[in-house]
Amino acid sequence: MARRLDYSARYPLHTNQELYAALSDRDYWEGRMVAMNHLAPGNVVVEFATDDSGIEVVLNHVLPRDMLPELAQQVMRKDMIITRKESYGPFGPEVTGKYSAAIPAGPGSLGGKMRLFPTETGCTLRYSSEAKVFIPMLGPRLEQMMLINLTDLFRAEAEFTKQWLDDRIPAN
């Protein structure tokens, strides 16, 4: 059975348009990958494209096996390379998107939907995620571990994004 998680990254004092502009900027993604190296080394932007139909990004996250929790080391025999794909629709009053994270020969899946919308004080990017692990007995524990780590990742990415926006678009 899959486990689900909703996470909201709030950006007070910044508009949808400002956040979407950041997501449309390759320098933002490159900077974010460098910043995420404090969590695990080896983060890179593999592909980036933006046009009138939206934004497409492919990222690789490398987690050395020795940094994985003991439970995950039982399943993964080498460094974990996670390929994460994000896509956002065209800019509008509300923007929807989706993401997926894949591990070659991984025993499960992780993905979800994203929604960027305005709030009274700024904007919010909400992630609705689902983790599935197809290993009897260990599956539920690994799913929960994935979602906890995902929350930490989303929080770190939101902190980077807020700082990126604050540095480029100071609040009035």
Side-chain angles (χ1 to χ4, degrees):
M1 186 167 127
R3 292 188 185 262
R4 291 171 173 58
L5 170 80
D6 287 331
Y7 180 84
S8 293
R10 292 175 178 84
Y11 301 97
L13 309 179
H14 292 288
T15 66
N16 279 24
Q17 188 172 9
E18 292 167 348
L19 180 53
Y20 193 86
L23 296 170
S24 300
D25 185 338
R26 186 181 184 109
D27 288 342
Y28 160 81
W29 291 98
E30 295 287 353
R32 189 167 111 175
M33 290 300 93
V34 169
M36 294 304 107
N37 281 334
H38 80 279
L39 294 174
N43 297 303
V44 295
V45 176
V46 177
E47 295 176 27
F48 175 81
T50 183
D51 60 25
D52 291 342
S53 66
I55 306 163
E56 299 282 336
V57 184
V58 178
L59 313 167
N60 274 355
H61 301 282
V62 179
L63 299 173
R65 185 174 184 271
D66 62 350
M67 288 181 69
L68 298 173
E70 190 175 315
L71 180 63
Q73 288 183 26
Q74 293 175 23
V75 178
M76 300 302 297
R77 298 292 175 211
K78 55 186 177 179
D79 292 350
M80 183 185 296
I81 301 171
I82 302 168
T83 300
R84 181 171 160 192
K85 296 179 181 180
E86 292 191 25
S87 62
Y88 300 84
F91 181 75
E94 185 173 300
V95 178
T96 59
K98 61 184 178 178
Y99 82 92
S100 64
I103 303 166
S109 64
L110 176 64
K113 296 179 180 182
M114 300 169 297
R115 190 173 140 241
L116 172 60
F117 57 92
T119 63
E120 288 183 17
T121 60
C123 68
T124 295
L125 181 58
R126 178 166 297 140
Y127 298 85
S128 296
S129 303
E130 180 177 276
K132 292 182 193 177
V133 176
F134 308 109
I135 300 175
M137 307 298 281
L138 290 178
R141 288 177 39 200
L142 286 170
E143 290 167 356
Q144 188 64 30
M145 187 184 329
M146 287 168 61
L147 293 175
I148 289 168
N149 289 327
L150 187 63
T151 299
D152 292 341
L153 177 65
F154 286 161
R155 185 176 295 121
E157 290 173 349
E159 289 171 7
F160 171 82
T161 302
K162 183 180 179 315
Q163 189 62 54
W164 173 274
L165 291 168
D166 289 348
D167 289 348
R168 284 153 185 78
I169 309 162
N172 295 328

